[in-house]
Amino acid sequence: MKVISVRRNARLALVAFLVCAGFPVLFAQTSTQRSPVAPSREQVQAVVDQAYEKFKSDTGGKNADYIPALAQVDSKLFGVVAISTDGQIVSDGDIDHAFSIQSISKVFSLALAMNELGPDAVFAKIGSEPTGRPFNSVDAVVDMPSHTGNAFVNAGAIATVSLISAPSADAKWQMILDFYSKAAGENLTLLEDVYKSEAATNTGNRALAALLLKYERIYADPLESVDVYTKQCSVGVTAKQLAVMGATLANDGINPITHERVIKSENVPEILSTMMMAGLYDGSGGWAWHVGLPAKSGVGGGIIAVFPGKGAIAVFAPPLDEAGNSVKAQKTINYVAEQLGINLFSPRSVGLK
Ligand code: GLN
């Protein structure tokens, strides 16, 4: 989709003002670590509120329907939450509605596999190349038979699940759910209706797993791996829980609310780099161009974007564009990032004066 371009002068004025004013309470940093461009909590709340008002009536996109349960979700639901690495929360809209995490789960299963195996083994077996193809592409697997592309396309995500070692499929599922819950700082649960709906219709994912077996790129029973993967995609999260998960990545792997270490520090840059390369599937290049933040979307309508060291934003709004990315979530995050001047590729975002 074409992401809206917002004029920069307002943002520059805001950043210049914040730098000059030397805001005492910075949104994302403690006083010993403050960044010259980190905005205040009030500024972030104001921009989040503006984005919510601006996009709440947007009618672009449509709910995913290849998983029948997702077509039933109210298309008007819209929630926005931003959380800083020092635990400040700003929000607007439907932030407590539980929806299926879908592909955003892939980030956290990658993190779990990396916690266990280290980045080199995971990189060798899974890879981190953008495929430029839809998330469920069979062609990408055939064209890249020596690896799975990356952990965020379905084939790579199923292979990542197969890498996680556990005594049984049930034990593996429980490990994954516990890990996601630690990242969210709350006990997450399976949305049974979504799981049943996807399990009854996921012939494409079973075909991908069979192809991975042909190329010897899957490391546990293929159908069992698809089933655990389907469960992980059906975990229910609220926008608020998702924002905490994103802020855990922003906070070097430590949950900023519970202060528990979840992801090994040394794995965070690799995970964020894969989010930048492949987080929005075949929309990833356009996203990097326009927004410049590592992010991950899911066909349940969620997107998380991470501003490393500062915070994260999660948006939930079910209607999707053709690549499977939430239309309102993309517009909202793009607007907030533009207004706050947090594009990672901008020298201003890292403090150039
Ligand atoms: N469970 C979904 C699938 O396998 C996840 C896809 C997504 O969110 N892009 O198709």
Side-chain angles (χ1 to χ4, degrees), residues 44-54 80 91-93 335-336:
V44 177
Q45 182 72 65
V47 170
V48 163
D49 290 343
Q50 284 162 25
Y52 181 80
E53 288 307 317
K54 202 169 161 59
V80 186
S91 64
D92 211 335
Y335 180 85
V336 170

Side-chain angles (χ1 to χ4, degrees), residues 80-83 89 94-101 104 108 180-189 191 235-248 255-257 304 312-316:
V80 186
V81 183
I83 302 190
I89 302 180
D94 303 307
I95 63 164
D96 293 317
H97 180 90
F99 57 97
S100 58
I101 188 169
I104 304 169
F108 297 91
Y180 294 5
S181 298
K182 275 205 291 179
E186 288 175 22
N187 284 333
L188 303 178
T189 54
L191 297 178
V235 168
V237 283
T238 65
K240 199 163 155 202
Q241 290 165 335
L242 208 47
V244 177
M245 295 173 88
T248 297
N255 182 314
I257 307 297
I304 52 169
I313 179 166
V315 182
F316 164 55

Side-chain angles (χ1 to χ4, degrees), residues 66-67 102-103 106 135 154 198 205 229 233 281 297-299:
Y66 76 97
I67 299 170
Q102 296 297 340
S103 276
K106 295 166 177 171
F135 60 83
N154 288 6
E198 182 162 353
N205 284 338
Y229 162 82
C233 290
Y281 324 114
S297 64
V299 293

Side-chain angles (χ1 to χ4, degrees), residues 80-331:
V80 186
V81 183
I83 302 190
S84 64
T85 47
D86 61 357
Q88 299 180 67
I89 302 180
V90 307
S91 64
D92 211 335
D94 303 307
I95 63 164
D96 293 317
H97 180 90
F99 57 97
S100 58
I101 188 169
Q102 296 297 340
S103 276
I104 304 169
S105 66
K106 295 166 177 171
V107 174
F108 297 91
S109 288
L110 172 65
L112 178 58
M114 289 173 77
N115 267 3
E116 266 184 59
L117 298 163
D120 293 345
V122 174
F123 183 76
K125 290 191 152 68
I126 306 295
S128 183
E129 299 304 330
T131 66
R133 301 278 179 88
F135 60 83
N136 52 5
S137 175
V138 172
D139 294 343
V141 181
V142 177
D143 287 353
M144 300 174 143
S146 63
H147 58 82
T148 56
N150 61 71
F152 299 160
V153 290
N154 288 6
I158 295 164
T160 303
V161 167
S162 79
L163 272 181
I164 299 167
S165 53
S168 67
D170 278 350
K172 187 181 294 196
W173 155 237
Q174 200 54 53
M175 270 172 70
I176 289 174
L177 187 62
D178 289 348
F179 188 74
Y180 294 5
S181 298
K182 275 205 291 179
E186 288 175 22
N187 284 333
L188 303 178
T189 54
L190 184 74
L191 297 178
E192 285 283 351
D193 58 329
V194 177
Y195 168 63
K196 286 198 182 115
S197 178
E198 182 162 353
T201 53
N202 64 356
T203 45
N205 284 338
R206 284 179 252 155
L208 287 172
L211 253 190
L212 289 173
L213 186 63
K214 169 180 154 80
Y215 294 122
E216 299 177 359
R217 307 308 294 187
I218 192 157
Y219 308 97
D221 180 83
L223 290 181
E224 209 171 85
S225 302
V226 171
D227 187 53
V228 174
Y229 162 82
T230 306
K231 284 188 176 126
Q232 80 171 38
C233 290
S234 307
V235 168
V237 283
T238 65
K240 199 163 155 202
Q241 290 165 335
L242 208 47
V244 177
M245 295 173 88
T248 297
L249 280 163
N251 196 33
D252 201 31
I254 297 173
N255 182 314
I257 307 297
T258 63
H259 306 292
E260 185 179 4
R261 170 157 301 282
V262 183
I263 300 167
K264 283 187 181 160
S265 170
E266 61 264 35
N267 297 336
V268 170
E270 288 90 341
I271 295 166
L272 294 179
S273 76
T274 304
M275 290 171 74
M276 184 60 89
M277 303 304 291
L280 272 76
Y281 324 114
D282 40 334
S284 300
W287 176 264
W289 178 285
H290 291 287
V291 184
L293 289 175
K296 185 73 203 82
S297 64
V299 293
I303 301 186
I304 52 169
V306 176
F307 187 25
K310 314 285 194 310
I313 179 166
V315 182
F316 164 55
L320 309 177
D321 67 10
E322 277 163 20
N325 301 314
S326 166
V327 172
K328 276 206 257 259
Q330 288 179 83
K331 290 181 177 178

